[in-house]
Structure formats: C-alpha cells, structure tokens
Amino acid sequence: MKLLSGLVLVYILFFCSCKKEPGTTQFVSYEDTTWTVIGRTFIHPLDTAFTAAYTETLTTPVTGGDTLHFNRLADVFCPAGFCTTGNGGAVNGKVNVSLLYARTKGDFIRFARPTYSNTEGLLDNTAAFKITVSQNNKALTLTPGKMINIHFVSPAGLHNENRPLYGDTTIYNTGNFTWLGLSNQALLQPFTQTGNAGITFGYNLLTPKTGWMGCGREAENAGSAQTKLAVILPPICTNKTASVYAVLKNQRSVIRLNPEIISRAFISGKIPANTEVTLVVIAKTKMYYYLDSVSYTTAASGWQAIKIKPHRSTKEEINAFLDSL
C-alpha cells in the first residue's frame, strides 16, 4: 500500500509540472519560455527576490532627533520633524525607518542596482542605500528642508573623487535603473575615527529624499575603449525570468546586460575592452531558481557571443555566491 501511495504521489507531481501538447505525445514544462515587451509597470521578479530579508526596520519618534543603529556598520540620524504625509500633513507619534544597504558588488546584483549612469557612464560605487519612512503601512516623505544623515563605515576606503549619487527609477521599469550624480558635494562628507577596532574611515551621506542614495565616482576605465557582449541562455531564461550582469574584477563596477527580444540574448555594448569580468546569470521561474557564472576577458573590439547554461539553485546558494564576489 505504501508503494502504491508513493507511485500515485510521483504521478501527481509529474503532471503538475508538465502538460501534454494537443495532438502530440510531447510533454512540455509549465514554465513560460516566451519573450514579450515589458511595460513600464513591470517589476522583474529578481529585483525584489532578496530585498525583504536584507531590509532592516527600526522605529523612532517624529518629535525628537534620534540616531538609529542599523547592522552592517550604518547609523541613521533623523532630525526632529523630519517627515510628513504625502500631501504635506503633520505626522505624530512613532514612524518606521527602513534601510537597505548595498555594500558589496554582490549586493549591487542582489538588489538590482548596477553601477551605471545613463548620463555619466560606468561608475565605481562605494555604497548605496535605500531609505523608506512609513507609518501604519503608509509611505511618508521627508519634510522640505530636513535631511536624514547616513553615517557609515566605507567598505572601500575613502576616495577624493567620490560624490553623492541619486538612484533614478523614473525612466522606465526597474530593469532600467540608473544613477544620477549630484553636484552638491556638501551632501557627502568623509570622516576618520579611532576606536577599539583601530582607525576606521567612512562617510556622512545627507539625503533630502527617500529612495536610493549612494556615493561613488566615474570609473577609471569609463572613457576607455568598449566592446560588446551577447550572452545566450537556454529557452527557460527569458527577459521576464533572468538577469545577466558583468562584474568587473578590479573595481566596484557592475553592469546589467539588457535583454533583446529579437535575438533572444542579453547584450551590452558598454563593457570595457581587454578587461577581466565575471558574467553572472540568475533566473527565477515559476518553480525554481537558477545560477551560473563565467570568468571572461573581454576582447579589444567587436561582438562576442557567450553561451551560459545556469544550473538549478536555491536562494541560499545564490546569496552565498553573491557574497563571494
């Protein structure tokens, strides 16, 4: 009886994952392998797959200034009366302040925040933060004239050319995220402090708005010769399920390759030539996660086509891999 029950269970699972095409004996997966035009409101499933687990939320009163101590060596100072409702109304009581901190190259992939600016080209990013403020599950905005101060230990030391950056998501969907450089250098101030752990270096980053802020600089090879990559994936990896990134080895730069419907490939013509990169493929279908990476040295010019076949993976394995970059 136990054997019969087991066979029935296998039978059910098989037909839950496959379907039979009409008029054929061919069984195909329920996974969607079609490429379609993505609208402005589309949110790629990978762009939000990991953010909840890495977002930390603390509570603070609106009436008095308060410093919130987040993990990953980041503190957030909120001045008195720092937030209002969306229409400028007063806020009373306590509010929730949430912080998502991208401090590694793996984080720039994990949170879908590549280090590229549509106006300034390739960036070498030090860190990035997403700040949100809410009360009773309703988003709040910062009061005009008030700024939140993010005090953080730099994961990449200090650099004289670092400048504040603002994350822009208004151009299209999350797959077209870009960074905008801010001219107000006063928003980013370096510091050096001595403590029990020795000398540490970091920045005070002032933000006058919620959303993504960060700091970085133009990459040293931003103006160098560029080459073109086309990454070809199995049919199960479409523009709705897969993301492809090029991680530059010797700098904190991450480029997202764009899916092209006509060629069914992920492409970029913005990769520095003669450069060591790690190509990272992550996919999330209805049933599974997939992952693979390939080390590659880009050519001097021309198109380069690379085939990658990601293997089935788990969120835990993907997170461990991203931590290793």
Side-chain angles (χ1 to χ4, degrees):
M1 180 61 69
K2 291 183 178 180
L3 178 59
L4 178 61
S5 299
L7 291 174
V8 171
L9 178 59
V10 171
Y11 185 87
I12 293 173
L13 291 175
F14 178 80
F15 278 91
C16 284
S17 62
C18 300
K19 65 179 180 179
K20 185 178 179 181
E21 284 290 290
T24 73
T25 58
Q26 181 71 30
F27 286 91
V28 297
S29 172
Y30 267 117
E31 303 287 12
D32 186 0
T33 59
T34 60
W35 288 57
T36 58
V37 176
I38 291 176
R40 291 181 177 274
T41 59
F42 175 77
I43 298 178
H44 198 290
L46 285 172
D47 292 356
T48 56
F50 304 95
T51 56
Y54 285 81
T55 300
E56 188 178 3
T57 300
L58 299 177
T59 301
T60 183
V62 178
T63 54
D66 192 14
T67 298
L68 305 176
H69 302 286
F70 289 88
N71 293 325
R72 310 187 91 185
L73 303 177
D75 297 333
V76 174
F77 174 74
C78 302
F82 68 98
C83 59
T84 65
T85 64
N87 57 9
V91 177
N92 299 310
K94 294 184 177 182
V95 298
N96 294 322
V97 178
S98 298
L99 183 73
L100 183 61
Y101 181 6
R103 58 177 285 119
T104 68
K105 290 191 283 188
D107 284 341
F108 297 138
I109 295 176
R110 197 183 337 253
F111 308 142
R113 293 297 174 261
T115 65
Y116 198 88
S117 168
N118 289 345
T119 57
E120 301 179 53
L122 184 62
L123 302 174
D124 191 328
N125 279 20
T126 296
F129 304 87
K130 183 182 181 182
I131 285 277
T132 56
V133 183
S134 64
Q135 186 181 64
N136 299 324
N137 295 320
K138 295 183 179 179
L140 303 175
T141 61
L142 298 193
T143 304
K146 301 284 186 178
M147 289 191 286
I148 287 177
N149 180 11
I150 305 173
H151 177 90
F152 67 98
V153 175
S154 172
L158 303 180
H159 199 285
N160 292 333
E161 296 182 7
N162 269 358
R163 59 187 299 194
L165 303 169
Y166 165 62
D168 184 8
T169 56
T170 62
I171 293 180
Y172 199 51
N173 52 55
T174 54
N176 294 75
F177 176 88
T178 185
W179 290 103
L180 301 177
L182 300 178
S183 59
N184 186 0
Q185 190 62 33
L187 296 176
L188 182 69
Q189 295 295 330
F191 70 81
T192 302
Q193 63 186 28
T194 303
N196 295 333
I199 300 176
T200 56
F201 305 91
Y203 290 95
N204 287 302
L205 176 62
L206 294 172
T207 173
K209 60 180 71 177
T210 57
W212 280 97
M213 291 286 292
C215 67
R217 62 190 182 276
E218 182 182 87
E220 292 183 0
N221 54 358
S224 64
Q226 295 180 333
T227 190
K228 302 174 182 179
L229 288 180
V231 174
I232 303 169
L233 304 177
I236 199 172
C237 297
T238 72
N239 61 332
K240 297 175 296 183
T241 62
S243 293
V244 181
Y245 292 89
V247 182
L248 277 66
K249 181 178 180 181
N250 296 320
Q251 60 196 61
R252 294 170 63 84
S253 300
V254 176
I255 301 170
R256 187 172 191 164
L257 279 66
N258 297 317
E260 185 184 69
I261 293 180
I262 296 177
S263 63
R264 299 294 195 272
F266 293 79
I267 66 173
S268 177
K270 304 171 182 177
I271 310 293
N274 301 311
T275 301
E276 292 184 72
V277 302
T278 299
L279 296 173
V280 178
V281 176
I282 303 176
K284 182 180 185 297
T285 66
K286 292 179 181 179
M287 301 178 65
Y288 303 109
Y289 282 91
Y290 294 84
L291 169 70
D292 202 1
S293 65
V294 173
S295 297
Y296 186 79
T297 299
T298 60
S301 62
W303 278 101
Q304 303 145 75
I306 303 169
K307 291 184 177 181
I308 302 177
K309 186 178 181 180
H311 55 272
R312 190 182 300 175
S313 187
T314 65
K315 290 183 70 172
E316 292 76 18
E317 291 170 338
I318 292 172
N319 277 321
F321 168 77
L322 294 177
D323 288 339
S324 70
L325 291 175

